[in-house]
Amino acid sequence: EVQLVESGGTLVQPGGSLRLSCAASGFTLNNFWMTWVRQAPGKGLEWVANINQDGSEQYYVDSVRGRFTISRDNAEKSLYLQMNSLRAEDTAVYYCARARIFTSWPNEELAYWGQGTLVTVSS
Amino acid sequence: SVLTQPPSASGTPGQRVTISCSGGRSNIGSGTVNWYQHLPGTAPKLLIFSNDQRPSGVPERFSGSKSGTSASLAISGLQSEDEADYYCSTWDDSLKGAVFGGGTQLTVL
């Protein structure tokens, strides 16, 4: 069974840093593009970033580019999101998600999702 | 949002409802559209991929279509359990990233 479990969400001050983790099980991580999606309180889903199978290719939404870094450790079966210079508007539930199938191009058919981890940026 | 959805939709049990998603040439016009169902406090669920394909386990009541720079999700035989938020999504070649619509809150009256 495919499982994705996010962790690392907490309360952090503006300007601070945080690293989110997503533990993957039930499939071979290095076969799939992986994605982070977030949902701010009372708002809709927002795509944040994705990364290809070997980590050599990443894409980001403009609002986080230069502040957030997506990475992965296939041997550890984990996906990460390093978040720096955090702002109040980064407050959200962060989900990791897996592409439906293997592709060599960015695949945003997100067939599997974790339950999310809450990041709150506030003083 | 780059993709425009109506903020709300409603229907009575058994009815058919459609949710629209309007985009542009760099996103819907040049790629395929996915639809997600999201209940608050739960993980989003892939409902439709590649414009009109259903993952296994998704009832046939859900169908998707795309024409030009717009897409639609149709739900027939509406049920109370369909009450949720629905999002369209696709890749945007100009932004070099994926985009979601603003979401449509579906109410079953």
Side-chain angles (χ1 to χ4, degrees):
Chain A
E1 180 194 3
V2 172
Q3 281 198 323
L4 298 168
V5 179
E6 302 93 339
S7 62
T10 189
L11 172 64
V12 61
Q13 291 192 335
S17 297
L18 200 60
R19 188 174 89 151
L20 303 184
S21 300
C22 173
S25 60
F27 67 100
T28 304
L29 182 61
N30 58 14
N31 282 344
F32 298 94
W33 280 80
M34 296 294 293
T35 295
W36 287 98
V37 174
R38 67 185 179 183
Q39 185 177 35
K43 303 290 187 182
L45 299 177
E46 180 183 34
W47 181 86
V48 175
N50 69 354
I51 187 168
N52 71 340
Q53 288 87 343
D54 66 3
S56 62
E57 199 173 337
Q58 308 105 36
Y59 298 93
Y60 298 90
V61 67
D62 282 348
S63 60
V64 309
R65 188 175 293 115
R67 299 188 299 123
F68 289 12
T69 302
I70 188 172
S71 63
R72 62 195 295 161
D73 186 331
N74 291 330
E76 292 295 319
K77 300 182 182 180
S78 292
L79 175 73
Y80 304 104
L81 187 66
Q82 176 67 43
M83 304 186 295
N84 299 331
S85 303
L86 281 161
R87 306 167 180 167
E89 54 264 37
D90 296 318
T91 294
V93 174
Y94 285 74
Y95 297 96
C96 73
R98 196 205 89 176
R100 186 180 63 87
I101 58 172
F102 167 84
T103 57
S104 58
W105 59 88
N107 187 319
E108 295 307 301
E109 296 170 0
L110 303 176
Y112 300 94
W113 296 67
Q115 289 299 311
T117 187
L118 176 62
V119 173
T120 303
V121 183
S122 174
S123 55
Chain B
S1 301
V2 171
L3 304 180
T4 301
Q5 297 180 235
S8 63
S10 63
T12 56
Q15 251 188 340
R16 172 186 165 93
V17 296
T18 61
I19 297 171
S20 62
C21 176
S22 177
R25 283 183 293 180
S26 64
N27 42 70
I28 295 179
S30 58
T32 59
V33 177
N34 309 307
W35 288 90
Y36 298 89
Q37 179 190 60
H38 190 206
L39 289 140
T42 69
K45 174 184 177 182
L46 179 64
L47 213 54
I48 297 288
F49 66 92
S50 196
N51 302 329
D52 57 8
Q53 301 299 300
R54 279 186 310 276
S56 63
V58 173
E60 291 183 9
R61 308 186 292 106
F62 294 91
S63 62
S65 64
K66 178 193 133 174
S67 178
T69 59
S70 294
S72 291
L73 172 71
I75 308 172
S76 59
L78 199 61
Q79 300 180 3
S80 57
E81 67 209 50
D82 298 333
E83 195 161 277
D85 297 323
Y86 292 85
Y87 297 88
C88 58
S89 178
T90 188
W91 186 262
D92 191 297
D93 288 333
S94 295
L95 296 176
K96 291 288 191 290
V99 289
F100 282 94
T104 298
Q105 185 175 52
L106 175 64
T107 302
V108 181
L109 302 169

